[in-house]
Amino acid sequence: MTYKVFITTVTMLITSNFLAAAELVEGQTCPVTFKNEPIGSLILSKPWYHSSRSNAHYIASDNATGIGIEIHLKNNFSGQVDGLNLADCDRFRLLQIRTTTAKLLPGEKNIQIDVPDQFTNPFYDSAPLEHGYGLHQTPIDDSDKPWQGRPYRDSAVALYDTPYVSDSWGIEGQDIEVKFETCAVCERESQFDTVLSCGHWGYRRDYMGGMTGWSEPEFTGFQCSDSPSPDFQKTLNLSNRIEYSYWIHWR
């Protein structure tokens, strides 16, 4: 009897620890507003660290090269756009720009919309990028996540991002800095879209010199803004990869 109780207790502890590790660990919540009225929240998770998309943990290891984060837009109506919809949205989306001091691939810019070249729309929540809508499971690939399996999340729209910069892409003598601005978008099928509130985040790898190269990533923190920054707006307006200026002409 004592043996069975012991086994049950250990099983419960393991299960409890697994579920705790799989839960969304919030790092920052940014209010999302439309015409000064609250319509939801942009939730940025606690960042984790990984080595070129493997060996992911919430504590950075010596060989870490990047970070990971999940971002969820939760509106005031559990992700639904019918009913009371102050912003008159047909769909909620996430749009992200990236700024980097690392070496660039041909055709890349140091600041650009953060989607692959072949994309025909500017939003991060499109395949093959990792994302989700409503009640959904986290992405299939858990090798660059600090959990195992596919726990559930619930949000209007979500993204899962695991950027990294290996030493070979660093510029000798310079720190590697990567910054992101992630904004909620109210998408409307027959009207102009509205870019709503945004979250700023990123990481830095300090140049150490010699055989060491660059340090493990250091997360540079979260910041919230109730509107997109001038850099964000300029990037959208001047993009020659995807034409998008808050409205329908890119479709």
Side-chain angles (χ1 to χ4, degrees), residues 107-242:
E108 282 191 324
K109 296 181 178 180
N110 69 310
I111 178 169
Q112 65 179 40
I113 299 173
D114 191 28
V115 293
D117 277 339
Q118 67 271 23
F119 266 35
T120 57
N121 76 74
F123 302 116
Y124 197 99
D125 53 294
S126 301
L129 298 176
E130 294 182 327
H131 65 284
Y133 302 109
L135 181 62
H136 63 276
Q137 287 182 284
T138 57
I140 294 174
D141 184 6
D142 62 3
S143 61
D144 56 1
K145 314 295 189 302
W147 60 77
Q148 293 182 334
R150 302 187 66 191
Y152 281 91
R153 300 285 190 261
D154 190 9
S155 52
V157 59
L159 66 79
Y160 301 83
D161 198 3
T162 52
Y164 71 93
V165 179
S166 59
D167 287 12
S168 60
W169 289 93
I171 297 175
E172 192 74 19
Q174 296 183 25
D175 296 340
I176 298 171
E177 188 168 8
V178 186
K179 297 185 292 185
F180 298 90
E181 183 175 356
T182 309
C183 297
V185 176
C186 170
E187 186 181 36
R188 304 182 180 94
E189 292 299 329
S190 58
Q191 306 175 59
F192 291 95
D193 295 345
T194 299
V195 181
L196 303 167
S197 305
C198 305
H200 303 251
W201 55 282
Y203 64 97
R204 183 179 65 250
R205 298 188 63 197
D206 293 332
Y207 180 71
M208 307 295 287
M211 298 295 292
T212 305
W214 287 264
S215 67
E216 69 274 8
E218 178 184 355
F219 184 65
T220 51
F222 295 116
Q223 286 184 318
C224 300
S225 60
D226 56 10
S227 60
S229 69
D231 281 344
F232 190 99
Q233 298 180 58
K234 182 178 179 181
T235 301
L236 297 191
N237 292 336
L238 297 181
S239 174
N240 56 11
R241 299 168 67 229
I242 300 171

Side-chain angles (χ1 to χ4, degrees), residues 16-76:
S16 176
N17 288 336
F18 174 78
L19 290 174
E23 291 176 354
L24 172 61
V25 183
E26 295 185 15
Q28 176 77 39
T29 298
C30 300
V32 177
T33 61
F34 177 73
K35 294 183 177 179
N36 297 321
E37 293 291 333
I39 61 171
S41 300
L42 199 61
I43 300 172
L44 293 82
S45 75
K46 178 181 177 180
W48 62 86
Y49 301 86
H50 60 95
S51 177
S52 302
R53 300 204 171 104
S54 66
N55 194 30
H57 299 283
Y58 281 113
I59 298 175
S61 60
D62 290 340
N63 62 348
T65 59
I67 67 169
I69 193 171
E70 49 182 309
I71 299 178
H72 297 265
L73 171 59
K74 294 193 175 185
N75 72 339
N76 290 349

